[in-house]
Every structure is written in C-alpha cells, then in structure tokens.
DNA sequence: CGATGTCTTGAGTCCCGTCAATGCACGTGG
DNA sequence: CCACGTGCATTGACGGGACTCAAGACATCG
C-alpha cells in the first residue's frame, strides 16, 4: 500500500537521525544511540504529497509514524458525508494507532510531509520492550487527550466568532516553533496549512460562515488577510477577547 | 483537601483488592500479587457523595484514582459559565492527570462513588518503575482519545435528534457491563446517571432541546420514559437510524 | 485567454437557543 | 393531611445565528 512513496533516506547515510530536525522532540528522544539505530532499522523515511491519504478510518491499522516535516489532518465522517477534522499534527507529533486493530480516523497530508514510517506490529513489539519510549508515547497521548477535550468545549459551546478567534490563536501558537525557528512566542503573521473548507471542518461550521467571520474580523481591523492563505493578527488582545479565553 | 472523605477500607482486611469488582478490568490487572500489595499501600479507598467535586480545572493535579463503583463526569467551562462535559467515567476507568502539573478539567461524582485514590506523585513514581502498569494506562488513554475524537464528530456535525439518539445508544452500551452483570449486550432499559441539564452539557445543546427531542422520540414510539431518570428503548433499529451510525 | 477550483457575498430559511409559563415530584413544616 | 416551597422537566412562542442555495469575484494554471 505504501510501497509507492518515495524513499527519502539516502542508503549511504547510516544514521538519518543525526540530521533529524525533530529527534529531540519526538518520542525517539527517549532512545539512546544504540537503541535508535535498532529502532530506525524497523522503519523508513517517506514523503507524502499534499492531499494524499495515508490511513483510512475503519481499515486495518497497519502503520504508525513520526511527523518530521509538514502538517497532516485526522478526520472522521458520518455515513452521509459530513466531515469533522479531529486533529492536526505537526513535526515531532506521532500518528497512527498503536496496539489497536483498526484506524479510528483518516489521516491525510495537508502539505507535502516527511514521515518516519513504521509497521504497527514492529513498532508495538519494539515499544513493549522499551518502556522509556512507551512512557514518552503515554505523555504525548495524555497531552493529545487534553487538547481534544478542550476542543470539545469549543465545538459544543462556542459561537462562530468565538470559534474562529480561538482557532486563529491556537494555530498561531502551534505554528510558532516550526515555520520560523522563532522560539515559543506566538506568530502574528503566518500561512495557513488549511483551506476554508478545512477550517470549517475543524470548527464544526460551514465554509460560508468561516468566510463571513473572517471578513468581519478583517473589517473591524482585528486581523488582515493579505492573501487567502495568509493571516496577520493586528490586534491580539481584541482577538483574545473574542475567543473568550478560559 | 481529601482528608474528609470517609475511609471505606476496613483495616482488618489486608487485601481490599481481593474483593474488588474491577480488579481485572482496571489498570491494576497488570500487577501480580506482590506488586498489588505494594501498590495498594500507596492509596486508599474513599467514598464520594453524589454531586461532590474531586478535582478542579486549573488546580494542581494532586490526585489520581481508579473508579470502583459509581459514575463521575469530567467538565470544562468558558469564563462566562457555559459548561461542557468532556467525559463520563464508570467502574474500572481511571481518572486524574498523571505526569501533569494541573488538572485539565473538573471531576464530579454523578452518583455516590467508590474510588481507589492515590497521590499523583506516588502514582507517577510507581508507574515509572512498573512498565506493565504504564502500558495498560497507555492503552486506556489511547481508547479514551479515540472516544473523545469520535465525540467531536457528534458535537461538530450532528443535529439535535442525531445527538440524542447517539447518546442513548452509547450509554446503553456503556451501562451494560455494570448495572446488571448482564454481559456485553446493550441494555434496553436503564436508569440515567445524568439529569437533563447534564445530557445537554454532554451534547452541546440546551436543556429545552434535550427535553423536546426526548418527548418527540417518546411520541413516535422509539423510546419510553417511565420516569424522568429511566429510559426504555422500544425500537432499537429506528434509534440507530436516527443516530446516523458511522 | 478561458477553465477550474476556491473564496466571498447576498438572500432566504430553519433549526435551535432564549425567554417565560406551567407541570410534576418531593420534602418540610404548619 | 394539606399548603407551600424548591428543584427539575416539559411545553409554547418567538427571534436570531448559522445553514442552504445561488451568484459572482478571484486566483492559479494549462
């Protein structure tokens, strides 16, 4: 299934990890030099083109991966086609469903992405015998759970304008460490890895409502929209007020 | 803080676990006899009265626990008081935030509940040195994450009637193993551990909409409502159709 | 330069939230 | 025992916020 992805790893390079940008942030950080060599032999580096799906909801969960570069989304949908994005992952994040039979959601590349890809069965076995790796995966999963639950408050209880404001603040924080090597300060200007429809699918809105709310905020001078993919936050305090920050 | 909870453990009983109903389902199942004795010494059994809050959002995450009996809810709220229930836990489920500084949500007893309570720091230390326990906690957390993400689809994309139908089916499945020792078959008649407002807070609706939808379903003969806390599913296939099961 | 996909804007509708009154069960005390 | 208060739940009337449907604008690319 994944055989047609281009192999990015150069076979002359014995340790692709040494040049890895996310080595110290991903779950691999728990491994020492020797373990890492063993681990890397189980997987391979692949590049996924924008828009390509890597895992399917309900299919066998055959793969897991670390995101090295790019952005991907996790989605589910109802039988009649309504979609909901249930997560967006960035470099150093982990994807796939360890210790599970089937994938609980679709995984699709939002931008061209580089991954460190493993078969789930090999990963599971390795993880079970390296408890530091499991520990790190546990912490990551607990963080993801917190994030998902916080998002449930947004989906269930916030208005369209609050949703948009919260989304912009959230993404400005999450993009901070990646696009520029800017430190942890949130960005005031960034390029969305998502189109309008995808923003709608994250927030539980329609594309028209997203568009209208963004135009509204542009009109009141809270943000600027230099082009359709770029957002500039002009008045962060006002945006935070709109988001009803908890 | 938790000093005023009644101690349920009888000091003459050296192994409260031997009589524990959830011993083989909770994370403790990963421990052998010796480990379990060591583990139990770190914690204590407590009983929480209905309505009592055990953890507060944003407060220091000082406690973790296994639920032995009863039901509890996890909630968050906006600064202006809108509430969202982000999880409901039943016997054998785990609560609290290991390896974290602060609790990400409130935890409140829906019914009188018995817990196996631990200080987080002691639990963290014990878990770090017992990787089977951590493994089991990891699996549980991954399951919870799947569940939370599935709920995001409901919150973001489903209509009021679909929400109610999905909720009823979900709770009939989750109550099955506990109320009666009935096996895994979902119940067709059960007592809600939640009031109307709490159902609304789970589904991202208002109490009035919940009430109207339930009355509607009662009117069409899909369910019966013998009293305000009891639900009887009369026509499960039709209820499943209403839920737009994925 | 069309062709196509994406986004914006407008007009109209409807679902669900809001406000308000009523109903029902339960407990307390006169 | 009934009167009364309290806390939930139900039901109705109404309005508004977000969805739906439908053009039109804009960008990108062959």
């Amino acid at each position: 299934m994944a055989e047609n992805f281009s192999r990015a790893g150069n076979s002359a390079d014995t340790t692709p990890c040494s040049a890895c940008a996310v080595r110290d942030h991903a779950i691999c950080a728990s491994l020492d030099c020797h373990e890492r060599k063993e681990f890397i032999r189980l997987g391979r580096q692949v590049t996924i083109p924008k828009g390509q799906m890597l895992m399917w909801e309900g299919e066998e969960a055959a793969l897991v991966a670390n995101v090295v570069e790019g952005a991907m989304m996790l989605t589910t949908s109802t039988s009649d086609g309504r979609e909901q994005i249930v997560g967006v992952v960035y470099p150093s994040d982990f994807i796939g469903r360890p210790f599970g039979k089937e994938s609980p959601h679709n995984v699709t590349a939002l931008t061209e992405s580089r991954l460190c890809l493993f078969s789930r069965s090999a990963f599971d076995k390795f993880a079970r015998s390296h408890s530091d790796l499991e520990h790190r995966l546990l912490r990551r999963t607990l963080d993801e759970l917190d994030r998902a639950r916080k998002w449930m408050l947004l989906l269930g209880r916030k208005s369209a304008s609050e949703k948009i404001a919260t989304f912009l603040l959230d993404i400005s924080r999450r993009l901070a460490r990646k696009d520029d090597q800017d430190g942890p300060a949130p960005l005031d200007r960034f390029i969305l890895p998502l189109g309008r429809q995808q923003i709608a699918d994250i927030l539980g809105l329609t594309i028209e409502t997203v568009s209208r709310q963004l135009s509204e905020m542009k009109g009141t001078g809270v943000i600027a929209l230099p082009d359709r993919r770029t957002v500039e936050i002009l008045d962060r305090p006002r945006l935070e007020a709109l988001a009803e920050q908890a």
Side-chain angles (χ1 to χ4, degrees), chain A:
Chain A
M1 178 224 290
E3 303 311 326
N4 50 351
F5 300 141
S6 63
R7 276 174 183 265
N10 177 338
S11 61
D13 183 354
T14 52
T15 57
C17 296
S18 58
C20 178
V22 302
R23 190 184 58 167
D24 299 327
H25 299 99
I27 57 172
C28 327
S30 63
L31 303 174
D32 67 28
C33 208
H34 171 68
E35 291 171 321
R36 187 170 292 143
K37 270 183 187 152
E38 191 188 345
F39 186 50
I40 198 79
R41 293 194 54 199
L42 300 175
R44 59 212 164 94
Q45 286 240 355
V46 298
T47 301
I48 313 289
K50 172 174 173 170
Q52 170 134 5
M53 226 156 145
L54 180 67
M55 306 177 190
W56 286 261
E57 179 175 8
E59 294 283 300
E60 192 202 346
L63 301 171
V64 300
N66 273 315
V67 180
V68 176
E69 197 183 343
M72 308 194 81
M73 62 176 180
L74 322 178
T75 63
T76 36
S77 51
T78 59
S79 46
D80 64 338
R82 286 167 286 175
E83 284 226 346
Q84 178 69 43
I85 297 180
V86 297
V88 180
V89 293
Y90 296 100
S92 87
D93 288 337
F94 182 85
I95 55 175
R97 179 56 164 92
F99 313 115
K101 292 190 307 298
E102 37 180 80
S103 175
H105 41 247
N106 308 305
V107 180
T108 312
L110 287 168
T111 64
E112 182 174 277
S113 302
R114 280 195 309 123
L115 306 179
C116 230
L117 194 68
F118 303 87
S119 93
R120 182 183 62 76
S121 57
F123 176 85
D124 285 358
K125 212 163 85 182
F126 185 86
R128 290 250 42 187
S129 57
H130 292 78
S131 64
D132 282 357
L133 186 77
E134 272 208 341
H135 178 71
R136 223 169 149 100
L137 183 58
L138 173 58
R139 280 174 173 271
R140 205 166 254 290
T141 307
L142 286 164
D143 284 344
E144 272 304 312
L145 183 56
D146 289 347
R147 176 188 298 284
R149 283 175 165 160
K150 192 164 178 199
W151 213 250
M152 289 170 67
L153 175 65
L154 174 140
L155 289 171
R157 292 301 184 200
K158 291 194 176 180
S159 68
S161 55
E162 290 170 326
K163 284 178 175 179
I164 295 284
T166 307
F167 166 74
L168 292 174
L169 291 169
D170 183 75
I171 204 163
S172 83
R173 250 184 289 114
R174 296 198 68 187
L175 288 174
R177 300 183 321 172
K178 345 272 171 171
D179 268 19
D180 303 15
Q181 39 272 48
D182 199 36
L187 296 171
D188 278 342
R189 185 193 176 91
F190 51 88
I191 297 174
L192 295 167
L194 307 138
R196 295 290 187 270
Q197 180 60 60
Q198 289 160 345
I199 297 174
D201 287 342
I202 286 182
L203 300 175
L205 297 171
T206 58
I207 186 175
E208 295 95 329
T209 302
V210 171
S211 187
R212 271 187 264 267
Q213 292 295 335
L214 287 172
S215 297
E216 168 79 17
M217 288 185 188
K218 182 182 170 187
T220 57
V222 178
I223 59 170
L225 301 167
D227 73 81
R228 43 178 59 178
R229 284 273 176 161
T230 309
V231 176
E232 191 172 355
I233 298 176
L234 300 174
D235 189 343
R236 187 172 282 269
R238 202 133 54 96
L239 192 59
E240 280 163 355
L242 284 172
E244 275 279 8
Q245 293 278 65

